[in-house]
């Protein structure tokens, strides 16, 4: 809010509306102006959005199964079925992309991409979305985090935890306004159940591939950054 980028978008949108208004009731003119604006927006979107690296995800998770015995790749795909994926780009160049299963919004997949667009972590979230609101201030559900490298977990966990809190609260938050108390309560509560696994483990699915998760990770990203 209030950033230079946002001010530029507002100015560009105002210029488009002014051009359209000058068409009056000329339907052909209105159509041409709207088509040109649509092409501008599509070009901007291609510049800022990274396509989700599905082939890399398949390669990284080839031998992996969920604790329930389901191929991990299939579970991840199920949570990415809604397109376009939701996205949030962080100041350090990392990008979070997430989706959910049609007609079952509580089956979610989150991907954390590094500045080069490579997968840094994959997360399955089950029964987490809006769980705080539905359960009256308690956590339910479970997150499983799969990191490309065990050494990256400490850096990525606060980011993933920030997204998790926003997810628990239903996204689209105003933590400085109407949702201030809700955000504060969620941040002070204990974290939801989280498990972490090393995708670089030589023997996938074995207990030795599991990584320790700290009890109280910090909130590294403002919850307002995540919208859906």
């Amino acid at each position: 809010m209030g950033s230079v980028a946002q001010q530029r978008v507002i100015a560009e949108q105002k210029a488009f509306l002014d051009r359209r208004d000058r068409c009056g009731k000329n339907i052909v003119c209105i159509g041409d102006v709207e088509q040109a604006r649509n092409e501008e927006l599509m070009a901007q979107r291609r510049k800022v959005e990274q396509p989700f690296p599905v082939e890399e995800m398949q390669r990284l998770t080839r031998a992996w199964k969920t604790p329930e015995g389901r191929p991990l790749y299939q579970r991840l795909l199920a949570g990415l079925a809604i397109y376009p994926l939701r996205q949030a780009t962080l100041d350090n160049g990392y990008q979070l992309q997430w989706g959910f299963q049609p007609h079952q919004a509580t089956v979610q997949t989150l991907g954390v991409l590094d500045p080069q667009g490579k997968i840094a972590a994959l997360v399955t979230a089950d029964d987490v979305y809006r769980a705080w609101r539905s359960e009256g201030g308690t956590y339910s559900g479970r997150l499983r985090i799969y990191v490309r490298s065990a050494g990256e977990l400490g850096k990525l966990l606060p980011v993933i935890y920030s997204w998790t809190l926003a997810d628990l609260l239903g996204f689209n938050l105003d933590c400085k306004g109407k949702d201030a108390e809700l955000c504060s309560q969620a941040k002070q509560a204990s974290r939801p159940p989280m498990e972490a696994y090393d995708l670089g483990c030589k023997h996938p699915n074995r207990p030795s591939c599991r990584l320790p998760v700290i009890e109280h990770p910090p909130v590294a990203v403002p919850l307002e950054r995540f919208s859906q």
Side-chain angles (χ1 to χ4, degrees):
M1 297 293 293
S3 66
V4 174
Q6 185 192 55
Q7 293 171 15
R8 184 181 68 249
V9 170
I10 293 173
E12 291 173 349
Q13 186 68 7
K14 182 179 184 303
F16 152 66
L17 294 174
D18 290 343
R19 290 196 302 272
R20 192 179 65 178
D21 289 345
R22 288 196 291 271
C23 290
K25 297 182 179 181
N26 187 329
I27 300 301
V28 174
C29 176
I30 292 173
D32 290 343
V33 171
E34 290 184 343
Q35 177 62 28
R37 178 57 175 162
N38 186 52
E39 291 176 359
E40 289 176 359
L41 293 174
M42 290 296 291
Q44 289 182 18
R45 188 166 190 166
R46 285 192 293 268
K47 288 181 180 179
V48 300
E49 290 187 356
Q50 299 181 32
F52 195 87
V54 176
E55 292 182 358
E56 183 188 8
M57 181 175 74
Q58 184 177 25
R59 178 179 58 79
L60 286 173
T61 62
R62 191 178 305 278
W64 283 83
K65 295 183 181 297
T66 67
E68 296 78 21
R70 181 183 183 184
L72 177 58
Y73 176 66
Q74 290 183 8
R75 167 58 187 85
L76 291 165
L77 277 183
L80 295 171
I82 288 293
Y83 189 84
L85 299 179
R86 282 41 177 180
Q87 304 195 12
T89 301
L90 308 184
D91 295 338
N92 61 4
Y94 277 72
Q95 186 175 91
L96 280 69
Q97 297 191 20
W98 69 94
F100 52 92
Q101 184 171 313
H103 311 296
Q104 197 167 353
T106 58
V107 177
Q108 299 169 286
T109 295
L110 167 69
V112 182
L113 310 183
D114 67 19
Q116 289 71 47
K118 301 293 185 181
I119 291 174
L122 298 163
V123 181
T124 62
D126 295 282
D127 298 318
V128 174
Y129 177 60
R130 295 184 67 86
W132 178 274
R133 295 177 186 268
S134 63
E135 297 297 328
T138 60
Y139 289 130
S140 66
R142 179 170 297 278
L143 283 100
R144 294 183 175 123
I145 304 167
Y146 300 84
V147 291
R148 180 179 61 193
S149 171
E152 293 186 300
L153 180 61
K155 176 177 66 177
L156 298 176
L157 185 59
V159 172
I160 294 170
Y161 181 58
S162 301
W163 175 87
T164 301
L165 288 182
D167 190 25
L168 283 161
L169 297 174
F171 296 115
N172 308 318
L173 297 163
D174 179 10
C175 290
K176 296 180 180 178
K178 62 181 180 64
D179 299 315
E181 183 176 354
L182 190 65
C183 295
S184 177
Q185 290 175 352
K187 290 176 181 177
Q188 294 173 14
S190 60
R191 65 171 174 79
M194 289 184 176
E195 300 171 3
Y197 300 88
D198 177 13
L199 286 174
C201 187
K202 293 183 179 180
H203 303 287
N205 308 310
R206 294 190 180 179
S208 58
C209 296
R210 190 164 174 175
L211 301 171
V213 179
I214 61 174
E215 184 65 27
H216 297 289
V219 178
V221 183
L223 303 190
E224 298 93 326
R225 296 285 293 274
F226 306 108
S227 61
Q228 181 169 289

